[in-house]
Each structure stands twice: as structure tokens, then as C-alpha cells.
């Protein structure tokens, strides 16, 4: 059987089957089409303005690395006139974030973009390792999601930037839609599906240029462009509720490849059912008809990791990366490996259940947190409430030890926090 030609140029051999629609493309056409679709998303939603300073939220993962690469390419190709820089958050996860930040630093050099890093320890006095040691792995993503959003806002404010772009892709948005459907939280779903969100606390807006890009296509783009990114998954994420929604989405995608975009579009349609006074889209800080104001990091869901990890259940994205590398090696050795993506489409016609009565959702009154000044529907924001609980439960013990032989000091005071171990002292 002769090799299939590219569906677009009809001259080169097709090497890629698009997960989105199973279109067979050559490498050049796929890369160009991917970039063109991102450009279309940017222009159709008027995400940027000429001369605007943009902070790209990066973590070293595939999503944010592809976002930085694509924005640099499109900025030069279409003359956006943007001033791009990288903004990263250090959650304080040893063996994961410290390694990924090394990738971020290399990206800053590769893309010739300035880099700024803000840390949880600096902002909140806690690292995620310390949080997990205190509360365990159940619910830790709630803390990280709330802290991360504020950290990005505060980092952007330090740089005098009012627009942050993140690497949330179509899979992420579909997962968030599914999570809020399972929770029965339509107002939060409405805020999460918007491509642009505003923060009333700091006047910093966010956008998701990769909102309609499949995660698998992002992996394909990064592979064929030879991008330098960090592919290890967060060591604390498997326990997240988002993982359950992710597994469901992946199973649906196997049956119906268009399921991801179908869920995203359905979420957008459902968002239109939410009154503006409920999702706060009428806020004075939302300077556009499609901009909504988010509260305490809701837009990204409680996972909050954004582009920080490869979120495929069971290492599916890592397996895909290994398979791509194996195909390249086989090509160089004169061997070829052909594979196809199989799936069936099932049209199921079921009558829709009609709601017996509509539940009136109370309007949220946005205000600034009395402690930190961040936007909240309560007098104290979620981050400060979480920190208060952590600080109350943090063990603090002062041990006064007589040490006559050390610098002639009459006493030595040492403070232990958490599980810190102090040197043993002879009390005899």
C-alpha cells in the first residue's frame, strides 16, 4: 500500500494523523496549521492590543513551552507588537518544580525573553511540600490552585503587567466543564469557560490562546518542533478530583474524537444561560463583553496547575512521547512503524429531561479581602482562610537550652517548626 499524501499540500508524505479530526498531514503542514489556528483564536477574540506587555505563565511543561514558542513565532510573523516575558511560580515541590524551573530558565535563553519567578514560600510562608506534610494528599490541589492564581497576579503586578496568558488547552477546559457539571455548579462553569477572565482585585486579566488546541496535538507540535520541555507529572496531582474528570474525558475521546471540543462548546452554550449578575461579567473591570471576573482562582478549577504538568491519566502523554521518539529512531534506521487511531461514533438519541423548577442563584457581592486585598465574595478571601487554618495547626515549640560552652552565651534559644530536628544536647 503506497504511503498516503498530505491532505493539504498533496505532495509530501503524511506523517501525522490529527487527533482532532483524523486528518492526515505532513510535518510542515501540521505545524503551519496548528499555528494558524492559534492565530485565528487570538484574532477572533481580540486577545491582544498593539504594544501590550504580556506575561506568559510558564512552568516548563509542554503546554506553556508550546505557548511561549507559538506566541514568539506569531508575534514576529503577524507583527502583533507585543512585549513578551516569562512568569513562573515556584510552589516548592522538591523533585518536581525545582527540576522544571531549570527547563524554564533554558527556555528564557532560547526564546530571548526575560524571566521572573515568584515562590509560595516568599508569598505565603509555606511551600507545597510543607502543606502536604500538614494536610496530606487529599485536597492539596485546592490549596495549590488558590495560591497559584494569586501568585501569578502578584508576580504580574510587580512587573507592572496587566495581562497574563496561560497554557490551558481544550482538554483542560473540557475537564473543568465536566468537574463543574458533576458538582452542579453552573455559575462557576460559566466563569471557567470564558477565554478571557479579569481579576477585580488587581485589574489583571488572563487569556487562554490554546483553549481550542487538543493536548495530543500540543505534544505533536512540541515533538516535531524539537522544543525543550519538562514532561514529569506533578507528584501530588494523582489524588486530585480533576483526575477523575480527566479519565472520563479520555474515555469519551477514544469513542468520539470530537468529544473534547463538543464538551467545550457545550460548556460555552450552558454559560450563556447564567445571568450576568451571577457570573459578574458586568463588573467595571471587565473591559469587554466576553470578559468575566473570577473569584479566588475559580477559572482554572481547583486543580490550578494549568500548564504545569502532563495531565494524561496513566501517563498517556508520556507514552505518546515515547512512541514518537521510537518512530523517529525507526525512520533513521530504515524501519517504519504505522499506527492508526481507531474510534467509533455512536449517535444516541435520548429525550432530554426537563427541569421541574429553576433554582434561584444568589448574586455574589465582590469585595476586597480585608487581609490581603485580593478579590473575594467574602470579607476574607479563600487563600487567607486556608493560610489561617495552616498556621493554626503548625506546631511551634520553643526549647531553651543552656549552652555555656558556646561563645560564652548564657542560653541558646532554638525554634522548631513542623518536623524540624534540632541537634541533641546533653542536659547532664
Amino acid at each position: 500500500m503506497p504511503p498516503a499524501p498530505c491532505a493539504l499540500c498533496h505532495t509530501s508524505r503524511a506523517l501525522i494523523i490529527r487527533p482532532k479530526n483524523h486528518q492526515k498531514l505532513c510535518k510542515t503542514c501540521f505545524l503551519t496549521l496548528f499555528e494558524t489556528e492559534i492565530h485565528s483564536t487570538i484574532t477572533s477574540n481580540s486577545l491582544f492590543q498593539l504594544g501590550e506587555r504580556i506575561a506568559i505563565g510558564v512552568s516548563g511543561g509542554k503546554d506553556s513551552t508550546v505557548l511561549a514558542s507559538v506566541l514568539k513565532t506569531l508575534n514576529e510573523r503577524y507583527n502583533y507588537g507585543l512585549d513578551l516575558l516569562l512568569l513562573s511560580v515556584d510552589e516548592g515541590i522538591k523533585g518536581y518544580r525545582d527540576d522544571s524551573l531549570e527547563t524554564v530558565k533554558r527556555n528564557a535563553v532560547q526564546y530571548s525573553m526575560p524571566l521572573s519567578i515568584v515562590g509560595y514560600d516568599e508569598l505565603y510562608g509555606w511551600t507545597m511540600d510543607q502543606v502536604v506534610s500538614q494536610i496530606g494528599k487529599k485536597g492539596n490541589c485546592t490549596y495549590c490552585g488558590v495560591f497559584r492564581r494569586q501568585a501569578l497576579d502578584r508576580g504580574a503586578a510587580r512587573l507592572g503587567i496587566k495581562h497574563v496568558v496561560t497554557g490551558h488547552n481544550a482538554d483542560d477546559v473540557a475537564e473543568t466543564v465536566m468537574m463543574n457539571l458533576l458538582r452542579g455548579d453552573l455559575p462557576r462553569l460559566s466563569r471557567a469557560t470564558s477565554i478571557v477572565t479579569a481579576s477585580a482585585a488587581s485589574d489583571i486579566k488572563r487569556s487562554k490562546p490554546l483553549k481550542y488546541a487538543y493536548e495530543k496535538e500540543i505534544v505533536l507540535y512540541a515533538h516535531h518542533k524539537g522544543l525543550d520541555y519538562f514532561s514529569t507529572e506533578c507528584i501530588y496531582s494523582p489524588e486530585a478530583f480533576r483526575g477523575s474528570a480527566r479519565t472520563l474525558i479520555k474515555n469519551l475521546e477514544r469513542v468520539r474524537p470530537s468529544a473534547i471540543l463538543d464538551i467545550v462548546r457545550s460548556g460555552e452554550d450552558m454559560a450563556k444561560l447564567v445571568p450576568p449578575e451571577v457570573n459578574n461579567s458586568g463588573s467595571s473591570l471587565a473591559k469587554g463583553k466576553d470578559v468575566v471576573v473570577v473569584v479566588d482562582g475559580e477559572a482554572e478549577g481547583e486543580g490550578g496547575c494549568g500548564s504545569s504538568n502532563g495531565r494524561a491519566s496513566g501517563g498517556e502523554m508520556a507514552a505518546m512521547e515515547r512512541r514518537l521518539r521510537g518512530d523517529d529512531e525507526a525512520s533513521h534506521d530504515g524501519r517504519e512503524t504505522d499506527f492508526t487511531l481507531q474510534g467509533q461514533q455512536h449517535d444516541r438519541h435520548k429525550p432530554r429531561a426537563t427541569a421541574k423548577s429553576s433554582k434561584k442563584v444568589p448574586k455574589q457581592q465582590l469585595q476586597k479581602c480585608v487581609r490581603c486585598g485580593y478579590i473575594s465574595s467574602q470579607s476574607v478571601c479563600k487563600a487567607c482562610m486556608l493560610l489561617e487554618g495552616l498556621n493554626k495547626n503548625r506546631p511551634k515549640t520553643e526549647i531553651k537550652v543552656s549552652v555555656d560552652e558556646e561563645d560564652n552565651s548564657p542560653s541558646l534559644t532554638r525554634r522548631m517548626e513542623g518536623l524540624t530536628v534540632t541537634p541533641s544536647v546533653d542536659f547532664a
Side-chain angles (χ1 to χ4, degrees), residues 209-248:
L210 301 182
K211 178 183 176 181
Y212 302 109
Y214 274 37
E215 183 179 35
K216 289 180 179 178
E217 296 195 359
I218 290 174
V219 172
L220 287 169
Y221 183 89
H223 172 77
H224 290 288
K225 286 281 287 189
L227 301 183
D228 180 12
Y229 67 96
F230 185 76
S231 58
T232 301
E233 188 172 349
C234 176
I235 59 178
Y236 299 136
S237 66
E239 300 294 335
F241 173 52
R242 179 176 290 270
S244 300
R246 181 182 315 140
T247 301
L248 177 57

Side-chain angles (χ1 to χ4, degrees), residues 75-86:
N75 190 38
E76 297 171 352
R77 180 183 300 169
Y78 297 104
N79 194 26
Y80 290 168
L82 303 177
D83 182 11
L84 301 174
L85 56 87
L86 306 180

Side-chain angles (χ1 to χ4, degrees), residues 3-157:
C6 174
L8 294 182
C9 67
H10 304 290
T11 56
S12 300
R13 179 183 178 182
L15 300 177
I16 299 169
I17 301 177
R18 292 196 73 181
K20 182 183 296 184
N21 54 18
H22 290 184
Q23 189 179 30
K24 298 179 180 180
L25 302 173
C26 66
K27 173 182 175 180
T28 302
C29 288
F30 169 76
L31 296 177
T32 302
L33 182 59
F34 183 89
E35 294 166 354
T36 302
E37 289 181 352
I38 304 304
H39 171 66
S40 177
T41 300
I42 292 172
T43 54
S44 61
N45 292 277
S46 302
L47 296 186
F48 305 133
Q49 298 177 358
L50 183 66
E52 192 175 13
R53 295 186 69 207
I54 304 295
I56 305 174
V58 294
S59 62
K62 63 185 184 313
D63 299 322
S64 59
T65 301
V66 167
L67 177 62
S69 175
V70 170
L71 285 185
K72 177 179 174 61
T73 299
L74 297 181
N75 190 38
E76 297 171 352
R77 180 183 300 169
Y78 297 104
N79 194 26
Y80 290 168
L82 303 177
D83 182 11
L84 301 174
L85 56 87
L86 306 180
L87 176 61
S88 188
V89 176
D90 182 4
E91 300 94 340
I93 304 176
K94 292 183 179 179
Y96 168 66
R97 181 56 69 215
D98 48 357
D99 292 337
S100 67
L101 285 176
E102 294 302 317
T103 304
V104 171
K105 294 174 183 178
R106 293 196 301 270
N107 291 157
V109 176
Q110 293 162 359
Y111 303 146
S112 300
M113 296 181 187
L115 169 65
S116 178
I117 301 176
V118 293
Y120 283 8
D121 188 26
E122 170 193 0
L123 296 176
Y124 310 114
W126 288 79
T127 65
M128 277 309 298
D129 283 340
Q130 293 172 332
V131 171
V132 172
S133 67
Q134 179 88 338
I135 68 170
K137 290 187 178 182
K138 294 291 185 181
N140 63 84
C141 286
T142 298
Y143 288 79
C144 193
V146 174
F147 291 166
R148 167 177 284 274
R149 180 171 182 86
Q150 289 202 19
L152 282 175
D153 279 352
R154 293 179 182 181

